Amino acid sequence: DIQMTQSPASLSASLGETVTIECRASEDIYNGLAWYQQKPGKSPQLLIYNANSLHTGVPSRFSGSGSGTQYSLKINSLQSEDVASYFCQQYYDYPTFGAGTKLELK
Amino acid sequence: EVQLVESGGGLVQPGRSLKLSCLASGFTFSNYGMNWIRQAPGKGLEWVASISSSSSYIYYADTVKGRFTISRDNAKNTLYLQMTSLRSEDTALYYCARKTTEGWFAYWGQGTLVTVSS
């Protein structure tokens, strides 16, 4: 199985700040990576697929980048509605997820 | 609008069985591969099982292989997960999710909670 190591586990940031979440795969996943946002008590929602493609309806302050084994999700100009947990998922092989990053407001 | 509605969760004793259902609407169910994904309380996401549109291809996570069976009824727009020999570590919120051909999960249900405890 491909292991996904996500960091940090938790993050505290101020409104308007830029935050970055990282995911590292145990082997090359050839951009087969998605990012999800999960708000408390809700199901995950797709943000990014193919490492850097924005899903329909997702605000442009979200962006994804990376290649090979290293990927990142960036949120520009943090808004209060961005408080959530974020998960990466690789789909190059059987799906595996990162452990998640809990984003809170400072 | 795509909707996935899970049902069938509940409290069950270790070693017993439970069958989950996921009723799909808002899209042509028979055209899409479907998956079950679970999330233990306060934990991350774990893919459980996958079934192709015509049930020709079925895959399981090693943690449930031999105990869980995924199936679908395209006439009823319904996905199933038959769970047997349940263990405490199977306690989780179980989501059904529609997977794209490429592999990401574009749509998720609201989940159904399975609690395995004596």
Side-chain angles (χ1 to χ4, degrees):
Chain A
D1 290 3
I2 297 176
Q3 308 302 316
M4 302 301 294
T5 302
Q6 188 173 338
S7 62
S10 63
L11 182 55
S12 183
S14 303
L15 291 174
E17 197 174 324
T18 295
V19 301
T20 300
I21 298 168
E22 309 274 348
C23 251
R24 176 171 50 85
S26 58
E27 61 183 85
D28 196 329
I29 57 172
Y30 300 94
N31 281 18
L33 185 100
W35 290 96
Y36 301 88
Q37 177 192 66
Q38 185 177 34
K39 296 185 178 180
K42 300 294 186 181
S43 55
Q45 300 293 308
L46 177 68
L47 295 174
I48 301 281
Y49 60 93
N50 288 346
N52 56 24
S53 296
L54 202 63
H55 183 52
T56 305
V58 175
S60 59
R61 63 179 180 275
F62 291 89
S63 63
S65 64
S67 63
T69 62
Q70 300 276 3
Y71 299 86
S72 61
L73 172 71
K74 187 164 76 171
I75 310 172
N76 286 318
S77 188
L78 187 69
Q79 305 295 302
S80 57
E81 60 263 33
D82 301 334
V83 169
S85 291
Y86 293 85
F87 297 91
C88 62
Q89 175 231 333
Q90 67 78 22
Y91 47 87
Y92 179 70
D93 194 12
Y94 294 114
T96 50
F97 294 86
T101 296
K102 187 174 183 180
L103 175 59
E104 299 174 325
L105 283 179
K106 192 180 292 183
Chain B
E1 179 195 3
V2 172
Q3 284 201 319
L4 300 169
V5 180
E6 302 94 336
S7 61
L11 175 62
V12 61
Q13 293 179 327
R16 305 297 291 264
S17 300
L18 201 63
K19 187 172 185 176
L20 307 182
S21 299
C22 171
L23 179 62
S25 61
F27 66 101
T28 304
F29 181 69
S30 58
N31 285 351
Y32 290 89
M34 297 295 295
N35 289 250
W36 288 99
I37 296 164
R38 68 185 180 183
Q39 186 171 33
K43 301 295 185 182
L45 299 162
E46 179 189 18
W47 169 76
V48 172
S50 172
I51 186 168
S52 63
S53 58
S54 61
S55 304
S56 298
Y57 301 97
I58 289 175
Y59 305 99
Y60 298 98
D62 288 343
T63 52
V64 306
K65 200 174 294 182
R67 300 187 300 122
F68 289 12
T69 302
I70 189 172
S71 63
R72 63 191 296 160
D73 185 335
N74 286 344
K76 295 183 178 179
N77 289 348
T78 303
L79 174 72
Y80 302 102
L81 185 68
Q82 176 69 55
M83 304 184 293
T84 64
S85 302
L86 282 161
R87 307 166 180 169
S88 58
E89 54 264 37
D90 296 318
T91 293
L93 188 61
Y94 284 74
Y95 295 103
C96 75
R98 193 184 94 177
K99 188 171 74 69
T100 64
T101 305
E102 294 85 349
W104 59 87
F105 301 105
Y107 297 96
W108 300 62
Q110 85 290 347
T112 187
L113 182 62
V114 173
T115 303
V116 184
S117 175
S118 54

